[in-house]
Amino acid sequence: MQRTTTAAAVATLLAAAALGLAPHQAQAAPRTPVAVADASSQVRFHDIPGSGGITLKGNVFTPAGAESGRKYPLIVLPTSWGLPQIEYIAQAKKLADSGYIVVSYTSRGFWLSGGNIEVAGPPDIADVSAVIDWALANSPADADRIGLGGVSYAAGITLLASAHDPRVKAVVAMSGWADLIESIYSGRTQHLQAAAMLGAAGYLTGRPGPELQTLLGNFLGSRLDQEQQMIEWGRKRSASEQVDRINANGAAIMLGNAWGDTIFPPNQYAKFYERLTGPKRLEFRPGDHATAEGTGLLGLPNDTWTNAHRWFDRYLKGERNGIDTEAPVQIKSRSNDGYEGYADWRSVGSGGTEKLALSDSEHLFANVDSGANGGILLLSSALDQFVKVPPIASIPLLPRAFAGVWQSERYDTARRVRGTVKLHTTLTPTKADGTFIAYLYDVGPLGIGKLVSNAPYTFHGKAPGQAFGVDLELFSTAYDVPAGHRLALVVDTVDPLYIEHNPTGAQLTFSSPRTDPSYVSVPLREQ
């Protein structure tokens, strides 16, 4: 064993990755465990048997001075999409220093772990159980105190694993998904940038299997004849489809996400949270995908990781640290730094709803980007998080041939938007297929709109010239509209975040029949 600091170990591993530990080398990697230690906790790097005979590259942190014969609670951390096993080094060390055995491993199909990328398929779920089995056999881990956690891809895997392995007592799922279809195919619209980024990262850092390659091609190629197969594939990888099993197993579930997550929007997490019946906690903060937890992965102070440790301490160690007596829904507005606690998700918009009438008809020509859009994947919401600069648009300058605009009156007092904004309207298309994107803006005195929320909507097989009703939920948020500002709903037909389905020459008319008025319903925080 060579003794050095954890920081040096991380630097060595990063350098090794940079020097070409390519994904195709998985089967040629050495199988001898390597150990690195410091004065506090100890880490060893291992080959861990996964399901189906593959090898997973992992590391194990053990508390300093672990006593012979004593058992310690176990936490298993699969890696995020495209990241190697060193992802959680900083947090794993902190957990080990506080008395946990922590096993992290590179998810199958990525980097030097064996197998193909299965996208949280059955082999990934079986890997979690295999790693637990290995840890119980090869470390002083306690079989009665097992937790799972992780960010993004790992969050999806661990939620599913808690449905299949009753030994799991606690889960912390950060920036993940519970419903894969609602995450990247909401409103029946492909989330282009999200799917393309995940696909590219998979090819660069791993080995997508034939099934995933075919699915990505069909998804990005808009193969509607394969739509139902793609939906069924996603359902098998969604914890929302297995919530009854999760509830039966009784694990304590903590969920964390960002309001502006452009890969896994928050709505689907909130709906899943409401269906859980065991101990549970839901946290939403400003930011984009994994930005709320990112600083914690570097070992810096981080609210999400602090609460993750508290959650494990309460449900794996039995510590009475108060996390289970706090309001279980904790949110932070995009406009200020304070936290707000609620008894449940339904209470977030407990101040009632404000309905904005969409009384004027708007006729749009499709296929042209009006300038209103949801921003850039990973970047725009991160700017909103750190410098409070969300995507903006000049509302008076939006070309009315390509964008429909409705505005409220100026508000005498601030409006604290909390929860899920809902749009109800009547749409008449000139073609059978089409897409529109709805945006809600906070508009200042100079007409500059700051994006509050957005969501896409796609239809297929409609009768041209025949009106139909549309109900669309925008992505959930917490945003304070200052006094003197107004809200504006904007609709257009092109956004770089999404794949649109408007045929050449398509036109859309939004109307408000007297018998079925159109409106936007805005949930507000109780004053």
Side-chain angles (χ1 to χ4, degrees):
M1 181 188 303
Q2 179 182 2
R3 304 185 69 84
T4 182
T5 64
T6 301
V10 173
T12 300
L13 286 167
L14 286 172
L19 289 173
L21 295 183
H24 67 272
Q25 294 174 293
Q27 304 306 321
R31 303 181 66 85
T32 304
V34 178
V36 181
D38 61 20
S40 49
S41 55
Q42 174 180 289
V43 59
R44 289 178 176 269
F45 296 90
H46 287 272
D47 287 347
I48 301 175
S51 65
I54 71 159
T55 297
L56 301 169
K57 295 296 181 177
N59 59 70
V60 181
F61 270 92
T62 304
E67 302 173 11
S68 177
R70 179 181 173 184
K71 297 292 186 180
Y72 296 86
L74 168 68
I75 296 175
V76 175
L77 304 171
T79 59
S80 302
W81 185 272
L83 293 184
Q85 57 166 300
I86 61 169
E87 176 184 6
Y88 301 109
I89 285 285
Q91 290 300 325
K93 180 182 183 303
K94 289 183 178 183
L95 287 164
D97 286 345
S98 65
Y100 290 95
I101 302 292
V102 185
V103 180
S104 179
Y105 67 92
T106 303
S107 298
R108 72 163 50 220
F110 290 102
W111 296 96
L112 298 179
S113 282
N116 293 322
I117 301 173
E118 300 287 346
V119 195
D124 290 297
I125 310 312
D127 283 343
V128 175
S129 294
V131 171
I132 291 173
D133 293 341
W134 180 88
L136 294 176
N138 293 277
S139 76
D142 188 341
D144 294 324
R145 294 184 293 168
I146 297 172
L148 308 176
V151 177
S152 185
Y153 188 46
I157 289 175
T158 54
L159 284 176
L160 286 162
S162 71
H164 293 269
D165 197 323
R167 295 174 296 181
V168 176
K169 298 299 188 291
V171 176
V172 176
M174 297 170 276
S175 287
W177 78 89
D179 187 326
L180 193 56
I181 302 303
E182 279 298 305
S183 294
I184 61 173
Y185 195 52
S186 68
R188 208 179 176 187
T189 309
Q190 299 105 310
H191 292 212
L192 172 61
Q193 290 184 17
M197 187 279 290
L198 292 171
Y203 278 100
L204 286 171
T205 63
R207 300 167 300 281
E211 184 181 36
L212 176 56
Q213 294 182 42
T214 299
L215 183 127
L216 277 172
N218 291 339
F219 186 80
L220 294 174
S222 300
R223 288 283 306 276
L224 287 177
D225 60 317
Q226 297 296 314
E227 182 182 37
Q228 193 56 43
Q229 289 89 328
M230 288 187 279
I231 289 174
E232 290 302 319
W233 181 90
R235 285 176 175 166
K236 293 177 182 177
R237 289 157 172 80
S238 298
S240 59
E241 297 289 322
Q242 302 186 41
V243 68
D244 291 341
R245 296 183 64 168
I246 293 172
N247 288 334
N249 287 340
I253 308 291
M254 173 179 157
L255 306 170
N257 205 353
W259 294 119
D261 195 320
T262 45
I263 298 180
F264 304 128
N267 304 46
Q268 44 93 30
Y269 246 19
K271 292 175 183 177
F272 175 71
Y273 169 84
E274 287 291 271
R275 297 175 62 197
L276 294 172
T277 58
K280 58 183 180 178
R281 183 179 177 92
L282 177 66
E283 299 183 354
F284 285 143
R285 298 177 176 85
D288 207 311
H289 185 66
T291 62
E293 305 87 23
T295 55
L297 294 176
L298 301 175
L300 301 174
N302 181 277
D303 290 353
T304 308
W305 280 103
T306 295
N307 288 337
H309 287 234
R310 294 174 64 213
W311 192 255
F312 286 133
D313 289 346
R314 174 66 188 91
Y315 291 102
L316 297 183
K317 290 182 178 180
E319 292 184 2
R320 297 289 180 178
N321 55 20
I323 195 167
D324 56 328
T325 62
E326 297 170 358
V329 175
Q330 294 284 327
I331 69 171
K332 180 186 285 189
S333 168
R334 292 162 50 198
S335 309
N336 57 60
D337 294 327
Y339 282 93
E340 302 168 7
Y342 298 89
D344 51 37
W345 174 249
R346 291 185 296 272
S347 301
V348 171
S350 57
T353 58
E354 182 171 315
K355 281 191 175 182
L356 308 179
L358 310 179
S359 54
D360 297 330
S361 293
E362 294 282 352
H363 184 81
L364 310 183
F365 293 90
N367 309 117
V368 176
D369 190 343
S370 70
N373 65 68
I376 300 172
L377 182 83
L378 301 180
L379 176 61
S380 296
S381 293
L383 289 174
D384 184 36
Q385 174 186 0
F386 294 112
V387 294
K388 292 185 169 45
V389 180
I392 62 174
S394 176
I395 304 304
L397 297 181
L398 292 175
R400 294 308 197 261
F402 310 116
V405 179
W406 298 264
Q407 296 192 74
S408 71
E409 298 296 325
R410 295 192 187 277
Y411 295 123
D412 295 330
T413 59
R415 295 293 194 273
R416 294 184 288 184
V417 180
R418 298 291 186 273
T420 306
V421 174
K422 299 178 181 179
L423 166 66
H424 174 74
T425 189
T426 295
L427 175 61
T428 305
T430 61
K431 305 287 185 180
D433 306 319
T435 297
F436 74 86
I437 304 91
Y439 310 90
L440 188 69
Y441 283 98
D442 160 25
V443 185
L446 298 179
I448 300 301
K450 295 182 177 180
L451 186 66
V452 177
S453 185
N454 78 100
Y457 182 91
T458 293
F459 58 90
H460 296 290
K462 297 295 184 180
Q466 184 172 326
F468 62 93
V470 172
D471 288 288
L472 175 64
E473 291 188 350
L474 277 61
F475 301 135
S476 302
T477 194
Y479 184 97
D480 297 343
V481 181
H485 288 213
R486 65 180 73 196
L487 285 171
L489 180 81
V490 176
V491 294
D492 72 1
T493 61
V494 176
D495 190 307
L497 284 173
Y498 312 112
I499 291 178
E500 53 93 5
H501 295 264
N502 297 296
T504 301
Q507 300 173 41
L508 303 178
T509 299
F510 295 85
S511 60
S512 181
R514 189 179 347 178
T515 56
D516 186 19
S518 296
Y519 61 86
V520 171
S521 176
V522 181
L524 302 174
R525 177 186 172 187
E526 188 174 358
Q527 300 297 322

